[in-house]
Amino acid sequence: SSNRDCNNSTTSKSDTCSQNADINNEQNSCNGDSSNNNSNNNSNNNDNNQNLNILDEVNKGATMGINAISYIFPKVQDSDFKKVLNVEKNKYEKISERVNDLYANYSQKDPHETNTMEKIMTWYGIQMNTIKDNSTSKLSELLMQGTNMGIIEGRRLINHNSNVGQDVKNILNDFVVMQEDSVETLKKYL
């Protein structure tokens, strides 16, 4: 058994605790104080969960941006605006790729994406909002509204998650700045 008696006379107390730590990958209660290590493990798990949650949110935001542009693109008549949308879509795709690359550092799973219902609601919202007006100005406005929601959520994540890894902070900051730049670009088409 991996939980040998710490007072075993044939093995020193420190050797047994060391072996148990190796076997269990955490300290046992040989010293009567495992709470400190458990606290550290919980802290690391919480930090890891924060990292994963932020990466998931960034990926969802990037996916929503890609989907919104894809849904709007067939309605666009202005060739310059189409070029801008291609550039913006590529930026969202690069962010999503970065999230996927980084995600493996924190989890064996794939990042969460938007669910089918969110995709349908986005598509439906765009369809309903462009029935009477699918001008470049209206399309730009719709994209700006979605992007502004992403900026607000991103800023909230930045302000309330100071314990995340630097690599996660970087991608979150890059995503928010990218969206802020997108709004400035889209303003020109209102």
Side-chain angles (χ1 to χ4, degrees):
S1 163
S2 63
N3 289 324
R4 294 183 223 155
D5 183 357
C6 291
N7 295 319
N8 184 337
S9 61
T10 60
T11 309
S12 78
K13 196 174 195 178
S14 64
D15 287 347
T16 302
C17 285
S18 239
Q19 290 168 353
N20 284 345
D22 289 340
I23 292 169
N24 295 328
N25 200 20
E26 63 181 353
Q27 276 196 337
N28 64 17
S29 59
C30 288
N31 298 333
D33 183 19
S34 64
S35 62
N36 189 26
N37 194 47
N38 287 340
S39 160
N40 286 343
N41 284 343
N42 288 341
S43 175
N44 288 340
N45 285 339
N46 288 340
D47 289 349
N48 196 40
N49 287 340
Q50 274 185 312
N51 288 315
L52 287 172
N53 288 339
I54 289 173
L55 290 172
D56 283 334
E57 289 303 313
V58 170
N59 198 56
K60 285 179 188 177
T63 302
M64 288 293 286
I66 292 165
N67 290 339
I69 291 170
S70 295
Y71 300 150
I72 281 177
F73 200 81
K75 297 176 178 286
V76 175
Q77 303 298 316
D78 182 319
S79 61
D80 288 337
F81 192 51
K82 277 190 172 192
K83 289 176 189 171
V84 165
L85 293 182
N86 276 325
V87 169
E88 296 303 316
K89 186 177 176 194
N90 286 336
K91 289 179 187 178
Y92 282 114
E93 288 169 344
K94 285 181 183 167
I95 289 286
S96 186
E97 287 171 16
R98 286 178 59 195
V99 168
N100 281 300
D101 291 345
L102 189 56
Y103 209 85
N105 294 348
Y106 298 98
S107 176
Q108 302 281 330
K109 299 178 182 176
D110 291 330
H112 295 105
E113 292 186 1
T114 55
N115 64 38
T116 302
M117 192 59 171
E118 288 171 314
K119 289 177 183 178
I120 290 169
M121 294 305 292
T122 301
W123 179 86
Y124 182 76
I126 289 170
Q127 300 311 312
M128 294 310 294
N129 283 298
T130 58
I131 283 176
K132 292 182 181 173
D133 183 3
N134 68 351
S135 66
T136 299
S137 177
K138 182 64 173 182
L139 298 174
S140 179
E141 177 187 342
L142 289 173
L143 288 173
M144 283 178 61
Q145 289 170 350
T147 304
N148 278 324
M149 288 191 300
I151 291 168
I152 291 166
E153 182 59 27
R155 287 287 169 199
R156 187 175 288 128
L157 289 170
I158 289 169
N159 293 341
H160 296 283
N161 292 286
S162 57
N163 294 333
V164 297
Q166 189 60 47
D167 49 0
V168 174
K169 278 183 193 177
N170 290 344
I171 200 166
L172 178 57
N173 281 317
D174 291 350
F175 184 55
V176 171
V177 168
M178 184 211 83
Q179 291 180 100
E180 290 169 341
D181 290 344
S182 292
V183 167
E184 292 306 311
T185 300
L186 291 169
K187 283 180 184 178
K188 298 171 188 167
Y189 292 91
L190 287 175

